[in-house]
Amino acid sequence: IPTLNAGYKTYGIYLDGLQSGATIYNNSIVYRTAGTGGTAYGLYVKSVSGLKFTNNRISNPGMVTAGSFVGAYFNGVLGTDFKFNDVLSTGPILSSGVIVQVAGSNIALRNNIFLSSMTVSVSSGSLIMDAGSTLSSDYNDWFSSTTRNSFIVGSTAYESLSAWKIATSSDLNSIDANPLWHDPSAGEEDFHPL
């Protein structure tokens, strides 16, 4: 990803209006150059149907140093599978940080590893979803090293994976354990377990 600029949004993969479906797999979307940004998106998907996003890596290893970061953003997306992906975001103080954001969409999140270790000044969430979206989510690892990350649906926040499971019956087989990647830092990106 190129150097970030506070006046612009930055996108790793940007899809808008794809209605015939597609499979995107085996990609690394990595922020390797430090910078301040307006909003940096690893994956931005809008008005898309039938997308299969599998075996990809979205990584912000502390390179986004100001502004906001969204790992995967879905808006008006139907019948989409987000499976077997790694999403990492670490870093200093951001105004907001979100691992997955869903608006007006119907998606499946399965068998992913989501790691968040962001310090934010305004808001953050492992998952932020509007009340009009539907989500089928299970067998994920939702790890956060900070207490400000949560699962948010509409105006209701669940401050832990266990609270999210109880309230929504989602992610019943998911965990919140550190994946212990060998070295996910910029330039290394070694996501093998220790």
Side-chain angles (χ1 to χ4, degrees):
I1 305 295
T3 302
L4 303 174
N5 182 308
Y8 301 98
K9 293 179 179 177
T10 304
Y11 306 94
I13 293 179
Y14 181 98
L15 299 171
D16 186 354
L18 178 68
Q19 295 301 309
S20 60
T23 299
I24 299 174
Y25 62 96
N26 293 340
N27 295 284
S28 288
I29 304 160
V30 181
Y31 287 82
R32 289 189 176 138
T33 307
T36 60
T39 301
Y41 295 92
L43 172 66
Y44 183 96
V45 183
K46 180 179 176 189
S47 303
V48 169
S49 293
L51 175 67
K52 297 193 182 322
F53 192 83
T54 61
N55 297 94
N56 297 285
R57 179 163 295 129
I58 300 170
S59 180
N60 167 32
M63 295 292 101
V64 179
T65 57
S68 300
F69 176 78
V70 180
Y73 176 80
F74 302 94
N75 185 345
V77 174
L78 302 174
T80 291
D81 294 334
F82 188 89
K83 298 179 178 179
F84 299 103
N85 299 290
D86 300 326
V87 182
L88 164 74
S89 186
T90 64
I93 298 176
L94 301 174
S95 40
S96 69
V98 179
I99 297 297
V100 178
Q101 186 169 356
V102 182
S105 297
N106 175 346
I107 64 170
L109 298 175
R110 296 215 185 274
N111 300 298
N112 300 289
I113 299 174
F114 302 109
L115 189 150
S116 169
S117 181
M118 299 175 280
T119 303
V120 297
S121 60
V122 179
S123 67
S124 72
S126 293
L127 171 69
I128 297 180
M129 183 172 80
D130 69 356
S133 293
T134 57
L135 178 70
S136 172
S137 184
D138 209 355
Y139 298 99
N140 298 299
D141 182 357
W142 294 96
F143 179 74
S144 173
S145 66
T146 65
T147 58
R148 292 195 67 169
N149 285 301
S150 58
F151 299 82
I152 302 167
V153 178
S155 60
T156 305
Y158 306 96
E159 295 301 323
S160 68
L161 178 60
S162 59
W164 165 253
K165 288 178 178 185
I166 292 167
T168 65
S169 296
S170 290
D171 284 293
L172 293 176
N173 297 292
S174 294
I175 60 172
D176 57 353
N178 189 335
L180 298 174
W181 288 318
H182 180 70
D183 187 358
S185 62
E188 295 298 324
E189 292 101 29
D190 185 348
F191 283 74
H192 292 94
L194 290 175

